[in-house]
Amino acid sequence: MFKYFGYELADSSYGKEYGYEDWKRWDLETPHEISICQVREGFKDKEYCRGALGHHDHIAFSASDRKDVDRFYRDVLLPLEKEGHCSIQDAPCDCPEYGEGYYATFFFDRDGFKYEFVVNPNHLLKMNQRKVDQGSGGKG
C-alpha cells in the first residue's frame, strides 16, 4: 500500500522481541515518515479498541482524483484482500454524508485498524487556496 502512495521502505528490523518498518517519502519538501511497529511484549494481551485513548479511529490518505481511488482499489486493495492482508469495508463509492463529491474506499488491516483512500473536493479547494495565498505572500 505505501509503495502506491510513493513511500519507500527506508529501514526495517524484525527481532524476536520487536520489529518495525519505516516508510518514507523523500520527494516532498519535508520528509514524511510512517513507522509501523510490532506490539511490545507487555502489551500483546491488550485488545485494539477503535477510538479509545491511544488508539486511532482511522487513517485517511488523499487521492488525486476518483480514478486514483478506483485504481488503488483494483491494483492494491483487491490483491491485498485476496492474500489475507486486509478486508475491504466499502468498494469505491460516493459518500455525500462527508461532503459533496467525497469519494472513497474503506478497509481494515489484519489487526482491525481502519483506513480510507479518498478524494475530497473540499480538501483540494483548500489546498489550492493555500497555494494561492502562499504565492501572494499571505498565510493560508
Side-chain angles (χ1 to χ4, degrees):
M1 173 179 84
F2 292 118
K3 285 182 184 178
Y4 183 89
F5 297 143
Y7 287 83
E8 171 186 320
L9 183 60
D11 195 15
S12 66
S13 176
Y14 295 96
K16 187 175 180 180
E17 299 294 320
Y18 181 72
Y20 70 90
E21 290 183 355
D22 287 337
W23 292 85
K24 294 188 180 188
R25 293 254 338 234
W26 299 99
D27 59 330
L28 304 172
E29 291 178 20
T30 304
H32 290 251
E33 179 178 331
I34 296 175
S35 295
I36 302 170
C37 305
Q38 290 177 325
V39 175
R40 295 187 188 269
E41 192 60 42
F43 299 102
K44 288 185 178 180
D45 62 337
K46 307 283 185 206
E47 287 189 35
Y48 168 70
C49 181
R50 186 172 165 221
L53 182 63
H55 298 199
H56 77 282
D57 184 73
H58 79 283
I59 296 174
F61 293 92
S62 294
S64 57
D65 55 35
R66 293 170 70 98
K67 288 180 183 177
D68 196 19
V69 175
D70 294 338
R71 197 171 29 256
F72 174 75
Y73 176 78
R74 180 189 66 236
D75 296 347
V76 177
L77 283 187
L78 288 175
L80 285 175
E81 185 177 54
K82 187 175 182 180
E83 294 170 9
H85 296 295
C86 75
S87 61
I88 298 168
Q89 179 183 21
D90 293 301
C93 60
D94 288 301
C95 305
E97 65 272 27
Y98 302 127
E100 187 176 333
Y102 199 104
Y103 186 75
T105 183
F106 299 89
F107 57 102
F108 295 91
D109 70 13
R110 290 187 287 193
D111 294 319
F113 296 132
K114 186 175 182 177
Y115 299 87
E116 168 185 8
F117 192 50
V118 58
V119 60
N120 180 350
N122 291 323
H123 169 74
L124 297 175
L125 289 171
K126 288 177 185 177
M127 183 178 69
N128 289 334
Q129 184 59 50
R130 229 178 116 84
K131 288 179 185 176
V132 168
D133 291 347
Q134 289 172 346
S136 66
K139 294 185 180 193

